[in-house]
Amino acid sequence: MKYKPVALTSVILIVAATACSTAPVPDDQPYGPYTNLQVLSGDWSELEEVMLGNLRGLGLRRTGGEGCLHCHVGSMQTSMETWDYASDAKRNKRSARQMLRMVKNINEGHLSNLPWRTENSIQVTCYTCHAGRTNPTPLPDVLASHYDSAGIDATVQRYEELRERYYEGDAYDFRESSLIRLAAKLQDREAHDDALRILELNVETHPQSASAHRGVVRYVAERAVETDGETGLRAVYPQLTARHVAGAFVWFTLDRVGWDFMGAGKVARAMTIFNYNVEVYPDHAGPVNSLANAYLRTGDTTEAISKLEASLELRPDQSQWVGELLEELLDSRR
Ligand code: HEC
Ligand code: HEC
């Protein structure tokens, strides 16, 4: 008994399928008759508006119906009228149906609960999140997941394709910080050569950008200290200054690397960086302050005090915390 309705349904579906291949398309149902609407009504003017909204929101081409094929089964070699719009074979269509439900809930549910909303208040559309992208995931995440499935070469290629396709719009953030974030993700995966390749790609893409160059400088310096300590740093740093734009070298370039080591609990390595930075920027108080902090972390209050004193001597007018910290340390010794 239990299975009977199911069997009956399939019979009806088969009959319906046979019927629709021969039945003439009703005038009020272009590309119809519609047999698989689960969210929308069968009204063409609504359907058309929603389908065109899909194209706009996801940045798909309208010409020749090409963009419709992102979700629907068919081919550019056959006429649009013959495509199988009712089919749910494509995953994108199934995702899109869920999106249609979600957008409806947002507009007719959550937003309509705001009492001051009027007829003219803005509605959420596909564009609100997708902004002309087929998938709204931010660039570093898109690329990182591409990396996980397809490797570094494919990821570089994907970046170039996306940049080519989307650069004019503001769908993706193509500023330097995106590839820097991607490199950090690859570093988390311990894929060091690949992370460096991405940072180099950033420099190739933004040859004038100090922050892109800084990305490489920091990474190379960090790896050098990680693997060969001070010797490593002394070996690579002059090469870096020869290869990268002057703007990449400011006192906080290496300082950040030192603080990353501090954050990871690698105080000795941080100290290597800070000491070297003091050498490179002898007139700046910043590197000395960082060094004082590293000494504090190791419990060497005497050295910390002497560094803070040196720092105040360099820049008596610097921010208050330095003087306050020094007072505190001196007090604790009395
Ligand atoms: C982003 C995905 C997406 C795009 C792009 C898209 N559609 Fe759809 N389309 C859907 C979804 C989802 C449904 C089902 C809606 C429902 O269940 O109520 C649908 C349903 C339809 C239907 C009704 C099918 C049936 O028999 O039930 C037609 C006709 C249709 N679309 C035509 C088009 C045309 C023409 C284009 C291009 C101009 C287009 N669609 C672009 C997702 C899309
Ligand atoms: C509130 C934000 C939001 C809105 C509005 C929205 N989407 Fe999405 N959409 C997402 C997110 C987030 C994902 C990624 C889901 C995932 O991959 O887990 C996504 C994924 C998709 C995908 C699958 C992409 C892929 O690569 O697998 C399609 C197709 C899609 N959306 C279509 C639409 C359509 C059509 C609309 C408008 C009717 C729409 N979306 C409105 C947030 C939104």
Side-chain angles (χ1 to χ4, degrees):
M1 266 329 270
K2 209 168 165 220
Y3 293 98
K4 226 174 184 166
V6 177
L8 202 62
T9 315
S10 8
V11 172
I12 291 169
L13 281 181
I14 291 162
V15 172
T18 321
C20 81
S21 58
T22 49
V25 174
D27 283 348
D28 61 345
Q29 297 198 354
Y31 308 115
Y34 313 136
T35 55
N36 190 18
L37 293 176
Q38 299 173 30
V39 183
L40 304 171
S41 73
D43 173 26
W44 169 246
S45 65
E46 180 202 28
L47 191 65
E48 184 183 30
E49 194 187 321
V50 171
M51 294 303 138
L52 294 179
N54 289 350
L55 294 185
R56 214 176 307 119
L58 274 57
L60 300 165
R61 288 163 64 95
R62 185 171 173 180
T63 329
E66 193 182 334
C68 313
L69 295 175
H70 188 65
C71 297
H72 293 295
V73 174
S75 131
M76 289 307 282
Q77 269 68 59
T78 59
S79 120
M80 270 183 88
E81 279 72 27
T82 66
W83 294 352
D84 185 359
Y85 296 98
S87 165
D88 280 350
K90 289 198 176 170
R91 195 178 91 167
N92 281 330
K93 185 186 176 194
R94 305 195 301 273
S95 297
R97 181 179 281 126
Q98 201 55 34
M99 298 280 153
L100 286 172
R101 290 198 178 99
M102 176 181 73
V103 167
K104 217 174 152 86
N105 281 341
I106 294 174
N107 288 318
E108 292 170 16
H110 305 287
L111 289 178
S112 69
N113 289 338
L114 296 173
W116 52 84
R117 299 262 304 171
T118 68
E119 292 269 295
N120 299 324
S121 292
I122 185 171
Q123 299 278 311
V124 166
T125 66
C126 314
Y127 195 86
T128 311
C129 297
H130 283 260
R133 298 159 293 192
T134 55
N135 189 308
T137 310
L139 188 58
D141 302 85
V142 170
L143 295 173
S145 74
H146 204 69
Y147 177 82
D148 290 336
S149 60
I152 185 70
D153 290 336
T155 304
V156 170
Q157 198 186 336
R158 186 91 188 108
Y159 173 74
E160 272 152 11
E161 284 163 8
L162 287 173
R163 196 158 184 273
E164 176 84 31
R165 173 164 172 201
Y166 290 108
Y167 193 66
E168 296 295 328
D170 52 4
Y172 287 108
D173 184 349
F174 286 107
R175 289 174 297 177
E176 305 88 302
S177 56
S178 286
L179 287 186
I180 291 179
R181 269 183 281 145
L182 173 61
K185 287 170 186 289
L186 302 192
Q187 187 179 10
D188 289 344
R189 290 159 170 76
E190 307 227 337
H192 296 296
D193 292 346
D194 293 344
L196 184 58
R197 169 131 180 236
I198 292 298
L199 292 168
E200 299 276 12
L201 174 66
N202 208 19
V203 168
E204 282 160 36
T205 315
H206 307 277
Q208 302 305 324
S209 158
S211 84
H213 284 272
R214 221 173 276 145
V216 175
V217 171
R218 286 190 172 126
Y219 198 75
V220 171
E222 183 189 321
R223 294 309 304 156
V225 171
E226 185 70 57
T227 51
D228 298 313
E230 190 187 330
T231 323
L233 183 59
R234 287 189 187 280
V236 297
Y237 197 80
Q239 296 169 12
L240 289 169
T241 52
R243 277 192 51 213
H244 293 281
V245 298
F249 300 93
V250 283
W251 76 265
F252 53 82
T253 303
L254 285 183
D255 192 69
R256 255 270 293 282
V257 180
W259 281 100
D260 286 345
F261 277 130
M262 291 275 270
K266 299 174 173 175
V267 184
R269 291 188 174 88
M271 200 91 93
T272 303
I273 292 277
F274 293 145
N275 266 314
Y276 188 72
N277 209 24
V278 169
E279 221 176 285
V280 181
Y281 296 97
D283 301 331
H284 283 258
V288 190
N289 292 337
S290 296
L291 191 54
N293 272 288
Y295 277 117
L296 262 189
R297 187 76 77 84
T298 64
D300 190 342
T301 317
T302 313
E303 275 299 330
I305 288 174
S306 107
K307 295 302 167 201
L308 289 174
E309 282 169 348
S311 156
L312 279 168
E313 205 159 300
L314 267 177
R315 281 274 314 276
D317 57 335
Q318 65 181 295
S319 66
Q320 245 177 330
W321 71 264
V322 181
E324 283 169 8
L325 179 58
L326 180 58
E327 281 304 311
E328 210 179 289
L329 293 177
L330 290 170
D331 275 352
S332 71
R333 317 200 84 190
R334 282 179 195 128

